[in-house]
Amino acid sequence: MGVGRNVTVVYFLLSLVLLPVRMSLVELPEPSVSIPRDVDMSSSPTRNDDLKEMLENNKESLKLEAMKRIVGLIAKGKNASELFPAVVKNVASKNIELKKLVYVYLVRYAEEQQDLALLSISTFQRALKDPNQLIRASALRVLSSIRVPIIIPIMMLAIKEAASDMSPYVRKTSAHAIQKLYSLDPDQKEHLIEVIEKLLKDKSTLVAGSVVMAFEEVCPERIDLIHKNYRKLCNLLVDVEEWGQVVIISMLTRYARTQFTSPWREDGVFDENSERAFYESDEEKTRDDTEIKPYTMDPDHRLLLRNTKPLLQSRNTAVVMSVAQLYWHLAPRNEVSIVTKSLVRLLRSHREVQYIVLQNIATMSIQRKGMFEPYMKSFYVRSTDATHIKSLKLEILTNLANEANISTILREFQTYVKSQDKQFAAGTIQAIGRCATNISEVTDTCLNGLVLLLSNRDETVVAESVVVIKKLLQAQPSQHSDIIKHMAKLLDNITVSMARASILWLIGEYCERVPKIAPDVLRKMAKSFTSEEDIVKLQTVNLAAKLYLTNSKQTKLLTQYILNLGKYDQNYDIRDRTRFIRQLIVPNEKSGALSKYARRILLAPKPAPVLESAYKDRDRYQLGTLSHTINTKASGYLELSDWPAVAPDQSVRNVEVIEPVRIHPSICTALFHFCPDSPPSFFHISCYCPSLPSEKSSSQSEKSSSESDIEQKKKKKMKKPPQKKNVKPPNKDRYQSVMCKPNSWVGPGFGACVCVCDFSSCRMNLLRPHLFSRRLSVSGPAFVPEKSHNLLHRMTGKGLAAQYQFTRQPCLYQPNMVSVQISLTNTSDHRLEQIHIGERSPAGLKIHCFNTIEFLEPDASVTVSMGIDFNDSTQAANFQLCTKEDQFSVSIQPAVGDLFLAVTMTEQDFRKEQGKLQGMNECSATITVTAENTSSQPLNRRVAAMANVGVVPSGQDNVHRFAGKTACSGAVLLVTVELRESSAAVITINTEKSVMGSMLLRDLKKSLAQA
Amino acid sequence: MIHSLFLVNSSGDIFLEKHWKSVVSRSVCDYFFEAQERASEPENVPPVIPTPHHYLISVLRHRIYFVAVIQSEVPPLFVIEFLHRVVDTFQDYFGVCTEAAIKDNVVVVYELLEEMLDNGFPLATESNILKELIKPPTILRTVVNTITGSTNVGEQLPTGQLSVVPWRRTGVKYTNNEAYFDVVEEIDAIIDKSGSTITAEIQGVIDACVKLTGMPDLTLSFMNPRLLDDVSFHPCVRFKRWEAERILSFIPPDGNFRLLSYHVSSQNLHPLRSTSLVAIPVYVKHNITFREGSSQGRFELTLGPKQTMGKGVEAVLVNSQLPRGVLNTNLNPSQGTYTFDPVTKLLTWDVGKINPQKLPSLKGSMSLQAGASKPDENPTINIQFKIQQSALSGLKVNRLDMYGEKYKPFKGIKYMTKAGKFQVRT
């Protein structure tokens, strides 16, 4: 019967195992069927089947429910890998929560199911191009977390692209991805270093921490990459998020130890005027080199110390600790103590934090007692502390003990000795011993106190006292024979082997001081020899040998008895020792010359042991590191190098003025100021922010609003003469709006980085039109239609009226956008607040919004400009115009002619382009034009009014040519109007965008045929 | 950095695991369990445990061990601080951080952990940002989600991530604009046998609950800012302004947060002075004796107010770990209730409010193990209490101003003193 049942069970199990395999075969035919090794037998088949069913269902909610349950399985550590094919199908789901859960699943199992995981890659590649930065970033996160070697080239490409993404958040993600790729394939190191180098130059505070982390992981030895970024990192440090701060500080600590000379001088002369030197030019340094100079701190070294100091006030304990270690390793001796207060503050934090901080204080307090002595009482032990906290506090108190405070400390120790936590009491006794050896004034007091403890009822306390007394007596044995006698008596009661061994050793060592007692002790020990611990046996043998040499008359027989016992002991150490001692002390023919010296060997005066801290040699590790905590070198620990004797070249950290400055002289001055080369002027940038809260916070709100008013007026003024073909004023305008942005909340110090971020993006935009234009030079519009269109009627807008107008100017924000001017009027009787642009549709529509208008007084109006990317189609841009209370859906419908930009070109070029755009790209029509349009002037005006095109000078009187390009894709548009006899005209349009061409043709036909 | 995270409950079961890099087998926790077995108390498990291939860094909160697995060098405080931040976030999301709460919300927990770390490096730890990414579960939202199929996950990158005020979300709207500040001071003290103070210091925090519309810019000034000896700030506080003017100027996060924590200690100003200037608000008269050879011990305890600035001492709770030899107690409280646990030997006396006219006392006898010798140490007495409407250090907020927004917020300041680690040695 048993057999039959087993067969069915096996069959059942097999079907369980094969079920998922069969399912996956459907999707991915494989030549060989392999049974997955780790299918979890405990997860029932019915359950996973119904999960699979739910995943294949069309209902989103069921899929989501299934994924939630699967995540529950993963969290419990259960295997859910057989669901992979069903899950991976949902990777492109629209539901964002479902998608995220699928990501969680993918990252967990992709390594095990590499082939199936590849199915999802294309989804991520698509998402990497998504307009939403969150989606781009999360796609990169997941793509780089899938540990499948085959996609390494794809990852590499994605990382490189993301590293130059517009969004700092995506760039931050790419810095993380660098580390992931490196751990997957270390061979990519060289390429990754290139990306790191690029990201290190990034000025966003968001990126800084992550890229330094990648640097530390991938190429910590490439210290040369840091030089140019050193000052920038120092200056950004305050504004970097807290986790990044920790990483950057520890990297900079290492950097500084290789680049600066030691500020620790034996003579202690320290140039307090280094601050002055900081602002001086480099010339001075070269002068100094020749003479034997007094130490002057490198200004960059000072910069680091000064910029990290405020972080001691951070709420993040890791940041405080890392600043503390930076000061410990880098600051001049007299400045280190500023970290004390903050470290002591950390002791109020969680138990685990206390543990690490106390460890570091223990190491520090060995070298620098003075730092923590004023805070001695903060290290007093409370009965509620955990044992390891207690012993660390004890350690620190012992380190801090000196002649002045020893009485206070000993009084405190007396309380601890009585503690119910015996392990702690024993630790206290050791601490007392250490105090006694370190401070000779109290040695006797301590010894007496310890002797009193010998009568303690608790054995561990007594044993520990014996051990400590032994060590103390060794230091000064002369006057303490009565203590030895007392301890000899104790031997009857003490059972702790270490203590017994100590007593035996003590009696043996000083047997001549207690000549009567010693042989008696040996007698007792001989009796109990067989039942003793090994360590006690060894000391008994030792005692016997010493007594044999000093008092052989009384102890000869006893010694031989013990040696015989030892000879047959189970432990080979004891047998070995016994044999050795016998040869040494009992002279026979074989023992040779050595036994003559037995007395001198065994009874040689021995140096007293030094009682020292267990933390004495921990300072070989950098403070605050894991290696320091565990007192062994952790993997990946980076050694802190010694100070160089001569400082390496300082000029490597100088940064040249950034290039775009030359291109745009108008913003030259501003960029120059923010160049990190000159750190003090770095803060000037925040002075540009017109209203800093720190300056006049009371008037801040009014100021900021008046500021935006001014800005608007400026814009208006500029827009009035639209014929001006100057790029500079718009640039300036952009610059001002950048400066105004942070004003509402930036304080000094916190503010600097925003300006920098915005600048970098602004600079990029400014550069782009130049790259774009090729040989088509964009000219100003030949004609700007006065006509404005209604955007929002005042009735529907509850008092807010809006009109829009195409300015036909190249858009400042993005070269592929069309710039639109919107004038807003408040026709209501109350002020409208916070006018801004809300949701837009279609979802991918790119709009460069105008800055939020804080308020609009009744009857006031304001004109703002915005950029819309119509993507070369006449589809309307829909978006919401919002005030504080309301939202109005509005739409801007472009005429096809407004989607072009006027271009100037020669007739020759025109013909050449026209030659390229034949056939499909050409459309033409013959019309009858009205009489007044037959001359060139009105005709040109008609065409220019219809479309934003530039007039091409023509050699023939009857042929008129116009040129333009589309705003988005930059495709060339050529219009030819050829006048024939009897008011006939042929309009020809050549462009790649044939749809736009035919639309324009229709419009032109209508316009020219009209009177 | 952080490779994996295991959550271990008090009975030693792993009930949640999460990996940020390749999967680490849960058998790595065996080293942790070993250390746990060796430790006499749950608190005694060392926070850092080296194993042959990994390092385990753990924190213990709410009787749950959060064990992080590390593979290479990292500042241990970095990990510890992060783990505590995780616990704080869970508490913020679920109200409590218990095993049951975590198990119930395992999906949200997973989503949170996914956002908080990328490749083991912290990504978003600011609660305001997390709440925009993943909405905290509420009963109403769960119901709505099941009906409409909408999700808890945000689709847009939180605006705070990219700005210089990452702690505040944008578009905050409230109908009642209010800002409450609680000044809470804890007094840590050790009082010796004779009633004299060995050490005393005050640790204070200002916790805020700010529900204000828009982007308010607040300034808080004190009557006596000199009292603050050592401070640490929420990142929102402008440090330079504090340095220069001793004024707290900040754009607050939305909701609850800790604005500032500070330290007041007269000891630091006078390193050689043996007694502290910090006023001790209660005194204890005690007489605990064990006689040699007798199986009875005497226990007498009287509490009284001292230097309380006229405010009542409330919520007084006394507890003490009696020596192992004590079998049972027979005590008589003049007010409140007392309990004695014969197994753990923990004596707890819930006193309530101290009435200065009739001081609370606890008197009686303890029965000891017959034949056992008398305990060498008298027990330490831990006291908890609260004093409402007063900050022991005398710190006073002068005014709170708001800039940047037009409305008038409702402002409130509350003071409270509590006992921190307040121990009396007997």
Side-chain angles (χ1 to χ4, degrees), chain A residues 75-76 97 100 141 176 180 242 317 348 351-352 377 412 457 625-627 635 745 754, chain B residues 17 26 43 60 71 73 81 85 111 114-115 118 164 186 188 203 238 251 274 373-374 425:
Chain A
K76 275 187 221 133
E97 186 169 24
K100 281 205 165 175
R141 269 181 71 184
H176 289 180
K180 297 184 213 169
E242 43 197 358
T317 58
R348 273 286 296 181
R351 180 183 63 96
E352 297 85 7
K377 288 185 172 172
E412 188 66 16
R457 252 186 311 269
T625 59
L626 182 62
S627 303
S635 66
W745 33 262
V754 188
Chain B
E17 62 180 69
R26 52 165 70 189
E43 288 84 24
L60 172 68
Q71 207 153 35
E73 176 63 51
E81 179 78 26
R85 211 57 80 75
E111 283 168 349
E114 192 70 31
E115 287 305 331
D118 181 19
V164 183
E186 291 193 359
D188 288 359
Q203 308 284 346
R238 293 177 183 114
I251 292 173
S274 57
S373 49
K374 91 177 184 55
R425 294 175 178 166

Side-chain angles (χ1 to χ4, degrees), chain A residues 89-108:
Chain A
K89 275 186 215 157
N90 294 308
V91 73
S93 165
K94 287 272 180 304
N95 184 323
I96 198 139
E97 186 169 24
L98 179 61
K99 189 150 71 179
K100 281 205 165 175
L101 296 179
V102 173
Y103 286 179
V104 168
Y105 182 91
L106 257 179
V107 172
R108 172 70 180 74

Side-chain angles (χ1 to χ4, degrees), chain A residues 246-264:
Chain A
V246 177
V247 178
I248 296 176
I249 290 172
S250 90
M251 189 275 291
L252 289 178
T253 310
R254 234 163 20 86
Y255 177 85
R257 282 290 277 261
T258 62
Q259 300 298 318
F260 307 126
T261 50
S262 167
W264 309 332

